[in-house]
Amino acid sequence: MNPHLKVTVGDRETHIEYVVDEHPIVVHTHAVGLKDIELEGMNNIAASKLVDGIIYALEFVSLHDRIPTDVRVVAPRYATWIGEAIENASYAQFYTQGTPVRVTLLSTHDPSVRYAGHTQTIFSFKV
């Protein structure tokens, strides 16, 4: 049993899952994504908005179990900044047995954003 929190950050939202034995137990979609982080200029406000969704999901996890200190992040951009924002956040309201929250970057692939069954891709060309 290796419980962990999986955080997948997309352009428009962040998908948060508490996973135990490869089965998601708590799932939450937070309406803050990479576009919001960019809009705020990757500052403390952007970090707070991102971590708010994680704290919200952890409140549900804490009803069943101790919160996981193993967080795995999937993000196409700014993965290092996102990892630092999660590690530097305060989890004082949760009992972690003194173990600090550690982030592992799983992947930095660029997930396509789907609209009405079609995949949005970015094209560039010269004229």
Side-chain angles (χ1 to χ4, degrees):
M1 184 168 109
N2 188 10
H4 63 275
L5 199 67
K6 182 177 179 186
V7 179
T8 307
V9 185
D11 280 339
R12 305 195 192 292
E13 59 189 17
T14 300
H15 188 70
I16 304 157
E17 294 181 342
Y18 173 60
V19 181
V20 177
D21 293 330
E22 303 306 318
H23 299 289
I25 306 298
V26 175
V27 177
H28 171 63
T29 301
H30 187 53
V32 173
L34 293 170
K35 298 291 184 187
D36 302 293
I37 292 170
E38 291 171 350
L39 188 64
E40 290 292 342
M42 294 175 63
N43 60 16
N44 289 339
I45 295 171
S48 177
K49 286 182 178 181
L50 176 69
V51 172
D52 281 348
I54 294 170
I55 296 294
Y56 180 82
L58 289 176
E59 287 176 358
F60 287 101
V61 172
S62 71
L63 296 174
H64 306 288
D65 201 357
R66 289 198 173 113
I67 69 161
T69 55
D70 177 14
V71 179
R72 300 173 187 181
V73 172
V74 177
R77 299 182 302 279
Y78 318 125
T80 304
W81 182 87
I82 291 168
E84 289 176 0
I86 293 170
E87 284 183 346
N88 294 333
S90 173
Y91 301 96
Q93 69 267 40
F94 303 111
Y95 180 68
T96 61
Q97 296 177 326
T99 306
V101 171
R102 295 287 176 226
V103 173
T104 303
L105 303 178
L106 287 182
S107 172
T108 57
H109 73 285
D110 193 3
S112 297
V113 178
R114 297 184 54 81
Y115 290 100
H118 300 285
T119 303
Q120 176 188 19
T121 56
I122 299 172
F123 297 99
S124 64
F125 55 91
K126 286 185 175 182
V127 178

